[in-house]
């Protein structure tokens, strides 16, 4: 995906397809599995060891657990379960230890590309995984192609609207989020009082919000109110992996950090558990909005 493309709502699979979910943490893997089940397709879930949330309930589906260092067996496992399409969903907090991996013949030819990808950051590594899976005969699809209703739309989501002061913070945080995205560092930033005070790194959004909460008593922030979180897709980001997302947990974290609201880039971000998220935001007095996507062709929203 480039910043001038919209996420497609085109069907991602056919009637004879079997979907495999490579599952990390968060609510997204469960949302995908539930949607597939509603359409009569029981997915196979390959849970990355130590990553999925216990409350996600992924164990009720046909599943296996795989350690990151067992990644060379990924293709064989997917083939054994008759998988035709693969979706990667959820946060994975660490990287595999290359020295502990035992690549089989199918992966050996990709090892030089893997080593290069590991040096390029998260987006480079995810692009490598997509290339490897598709080179092995699978069709890689995005979460938005399976659950299109998750794609963020432009405008105000709940009852609460941003103030003029909030819009100043939104502008500052968006510039910061886009800047770190271009460097493949993270997808989110927090601004308070018109200046950016926190950037998302490899620790993720939740940890960044905890850091902001702890900073509230800092001398340079003491007494400052409100503030916003903005999340944007990285420029040129692969749309089938790691799109920015928000949900009820994001709202809770933003509220605990003393923020006034959250904004995501419409058409290039996912909203998890939307009704629950909006209800919680309204109850806590936070706004949630979808910002217009950047780029002249992107302003039309989701295709």
């Amino acid at each position: 995906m480039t910043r001038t493309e919209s996420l497609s709502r085109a069907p991602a699979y056919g009637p004879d397809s079997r979907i495999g979910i490579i599952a990390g943490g968060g609510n997204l893997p469960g949302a995908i599995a539930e949607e597939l089940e509603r359409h009569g397709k029981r997915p196979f879930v390959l849970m990355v060891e130590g990553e999925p949330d216990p409350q996600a309930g992924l164990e009720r589906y046909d599943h296996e657990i795989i350690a990151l260092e067992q990644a060379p067996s990924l293709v064989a496992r997917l083939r054994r379960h008759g998988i035709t399409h693969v979706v990667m969903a959820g946060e994975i907090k660490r990287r595999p230890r290359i020295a502990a991996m035992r690549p089989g013949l199918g992966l050996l030819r990709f090892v030089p590309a893997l080593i290069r990808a590991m040096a390029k950051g998260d987006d480079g590594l995810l692009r490598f995984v997509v290339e490897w899976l598709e080179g092995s005969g699978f069709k890689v699809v995005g979460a938005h192609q399976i659950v299109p209703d998750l794609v963020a739309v432009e405008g105000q989501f709940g009852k609460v609207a941003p103030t003029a002061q909030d819009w100043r913070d939104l502008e500052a945080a968006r510039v910061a989020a886009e800047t770190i995205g271009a460097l493949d560092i993270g997808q989110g930033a927090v601004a308070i009082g018109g200046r950016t005070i926190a950037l998302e790194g490899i620790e993720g959004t939740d940890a960044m919000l905890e850091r902001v909460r702890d900073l509230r008593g800092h001398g340079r922030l003491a007494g400052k109110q409100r503030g916003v979180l903005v999340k944007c897709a990285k420029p040129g980001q692969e749309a089938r992996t790691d799109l920015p997302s928000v949900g009820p947990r994001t709202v809770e974290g933003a509220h605990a950090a003393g923020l006034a609201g959250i904004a995501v880039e419409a058409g290039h971000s996912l909203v998890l558990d939307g009704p629950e998220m909006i209800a919680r935001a309204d109850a806590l007095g936070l706004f949630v909005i979808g910002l217009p996507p950047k780029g002249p062709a992107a302003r039309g929203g989701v295709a």
Side-chain angles (χ1 to χ4, degrees):
M1 178 188 72
T2 68
R3 297 302 282 276
T4 57
E5 293 174 344
S6 298
L7 297 180
S8 173
R9 291 180 181 266
Y13 53 86
D16 298 325
S17 304
R18 188 166 193 218
I19 316 298
I21 303 171
I22 301 176
N27 295 336
L28 184 55
I32 294 171
E34 289 174 7
E35 180 71 8
L36 288 169
E37 194 171 43
R38 277 195 292 270
H39 286 81
K41 288 192 170 293
R42 191 161 178 81
F44 168 65
V45 183
L46 196 55
M47 296 187 284
V48 179
E49 186 178 55
E51 299 292 350
D53 297 339
Q55 62 268 30
L58 297 175
E59 293 83 359
R60 70 187 180 91
Y61 301 100
D62 184 12
H63 72 278
E64 291 183 13
I65 297 174
I66 185 171
L68 286 175
E69 287 70 30
Q70 295 174 316
S73 70
L74 176 61
V75 167
R77 293 183 189 223
L78 294 172
R79 285 177 176 160
R80 188 164 64 242
H81 288 271
I83 300 304
T84 59
H85 292 61
V86 177
V87 56
M88 294 184 285
E91 179 185 17
I92 295 177
K93 296 177 182 176
R94 73 174 183 90
R95 290 189 172 194
R97 297 184 297 273
I98 297 283
M101 297 174 69
R102 297 291 181 267
L105 292 177
L107 183 58
L108 276 175
R109 64 191 177 98
F110 288 98
V111 167
L114 172 59
I115 293 172
R116 290 193 299 270
M118 292 282 284
K120 290 182 178 179
D122 291 344
D123 199 48
L125 183 57
L126 289 169
R127 286 179 184 276
F128 163 79
V129 175
V130 170
E131 180 182 347
W132 174 38
L133 289 172
E134 295 209 316
S136 301
F138 303 101
K139 175 67 175 176
V140 178
V141 298
H144 61 282
Q145 294 174 281
I146 296 176
V147 197
D149 290 344
L150 295 182
V151 178
V153 296
E154 187 176 338
Q156 183 177 317
F157 291 0
K159 298 176 181 177
V160 183
T163 66
Q165 174 188 335
D166 296 330
W167 278 109
R168 189 163 64 108
D169 289 342
L170 286 165
E171 182 178 354
R174 180 166 193 169
V175 170
E178 290 172 344
T179 300
I180 64 170
L183 297 172
D184 196 16
I185 294 172
Q187 300 172 322
V190 171
I192 299 174
R195 58 190 290 265
T196 303
I197 60 96
L199 304 173
E200 181 188 78
I202 59 173
E203 79 276 19
T205 303
D206 292 343
M208 177 183 63
L209 291 174
E210 290 177 8
R211 182 156 41 93
V212 173
R213 180 195 63 197
D214 294 340
L215 283 170
R216 279 295 183 179
H218 189 278
R220 296 178 70 183
L221 286 181
K224 291 189 182 298
Q225 303 297 316
R226 302 183 71 82
V228 303
L229 163 68
V230 174
K231 298 192 71 172
C232 299
K234 299 172 184 176
Q237 181 171 336
E238 168 58 71
R240 293 168 292 179
T241 62
D242 195 32
L243 285 174
S245 62
V246 294
R249 189 164 67 183
T250 319
V251 169
E252 295 287 353
H255 178 257
L259 301 182
I262 299 166
V264 293
E265 184 181 14
H268 298 271
S269 307
L270 303 178
V271 176
L272 309 181
D273 299 323
E276 179 186 345
M277 182 196 73
I278 294 168
R280 192 63 186 138
D282 286 346
L284 294 173
L286 271 71
F287 67 81
V288 182
I289 62 170
L291 296 173
K294 287 294 184 73
R299 293 195 171 91
V302 178

